[in-house]
Every structure is written in structure tokens, then in C-alpha cells.
Amino acid sequence: MASSGAPRRLEPSSPHGVYVWRGGRWAAAGRGELDGDGLYFIYFSNSECGACRVFDEVWYPFVEMVSGRSVARFLVVLCGWFTRDCSSEDAKSLFKEFDVHVSPTVVVLKRSNGRVEKLLKYEGLTSALTLTFAYANILAGAREAQPG
């Protein structure tokens, strides 16, 4: 992580685990961050993945751009190389739960009443435009579901 005390992005040398964007920085968390109802963007990254370092240049600016006005929660699940090289049980279990075998992968999901209502999965390099459309799509669905 960055040495500033307020990491704006995770580094390949960051400890394996689950991280949540909170208060303008990435904080270590657990799989429990995904237990509640809401909208989630989850970036599955591997520290040994060259394509992930390219995607970092899309992901981290996207999170900073939309998080201030977003109802979504943003998470990074980081392992060394998928479940084969992962020192975090929480991260390993999420890679398995979401069947992640390509990196980078972004999962966008909406959970309501304890159930996943909508799940979008983007494998490989994804553009900021695609993430923006996914965000708008999920957010529009959430607004439609809110009582008038």
C-alpha cells in the first residue's frame, strides 16, 4: 500500500485480502462486507497479474470519480494467483463463490432482502465506459425498486 497512511490504491505487494473503499481510502475488511443489501462493485485482482496492473489505471480512478456520489460499495479482493496462491481465507472464498478464473474480473451485484437480484460479471480488461454503464444500469434498477 502507499506509505501516506491513506492508500488511494492497493499495490501488488499489499497483503492478500478483502479491501473496501471507505472514507477516501482502501481499508482491510472481510467477506462480511458483502453480507448486507446494496450495490457492490468487486474487483478481483491477482498480484502476479500484468493485466491487473493495466486495469488498475481504470479501476482506481473510476472508484474515486463515482464513490463520492454513489450508493454502491467498492471492494478489491486480492490474491497472489487466484486460490492457488492466496494467504487470505476470505479472499480465497470469494474467488470461489464468484467462480473467478480470469483476472482482472469485476463483479457488479445488487443484493436485496438477502438475495442477489442482479449480477454482472466482466472478465479481462474492462473500460471505464463499461464500468460506468454497469453502474448506471444497476443504479437505475435500484431506483426503480425504491418505493415512490
Side-chain angles (χ1 to χ4, degrees):
M1 285 191 235
S3 60
S4 69
R8 306 298 283 181
R9 63 176 54 210
L10 299 173
E11 300 298 332
S13 59
S14 297
H16 300 168
V18 178
Y19 296 86
V20 63
W21 181 255
R22 187 179 290 134
R25 67 182 202 91
W26 292 100
R31 76 164 330 297
E33 290 292 331
L34 292 165
D35 288 345
D37 290 348
L39 306 176
Y40 299 89
F41 274 70
I42 311 158
Y43 168 27
F44 289 87
S45 180
N46 286 293
S47 57
E48 298 177 33
C49 167
C52 294
R53 303 299 68 81
V54 172
F55 182 66
D56 287 352
E57 300 306 318
V58 172
W59 171 256
Y60 292 111
F62 171 77
V63 171
E64 288 192 37
M65 179 182 71
V66 302
S67 65
R69 59 182 183 265
S70 174
V71 296
R73 297 181 89 181
F74 299 90
L75 293 96
V76 173
V77 181
L78 178 66
C79 284
W81 192 248
F82 302 96
T83 59
R84 186 180 70 189
D85 174 17
C86 192
S87 59
S88 165
E89 289 303 317
D90 282 348
K92 194 183 295 189
S93 73
L94 288 169
F95 266 81
K96 289 177 184 175
E97 178 179 339
F98 290 100
D99 197 29
V100 175
H101 300 282
V102 174
S103 63
T105 291
V106 174
V107 171
V108 183
L109 68 90
K110 176 185 173 192
R111 190 177 308 239
S112 183
N113 298 319
R115 292 186 353 244
V116 173
E117 286 189 5
K118 190 166 198 175
L119 187 139
L120 305 171
K121 189 174 182 180
Y122 301 92
E123 296 178 319
L125 291 174
T126 302
S127 70
L129 185 59
T130 299
L131 292 175
T132 302
F133 280 127
Y135 175 75
N137 181 9
I138 293 278
L139 189 58
R143 285 188 179 140
E144 291 168 10
Q146 292 177 354

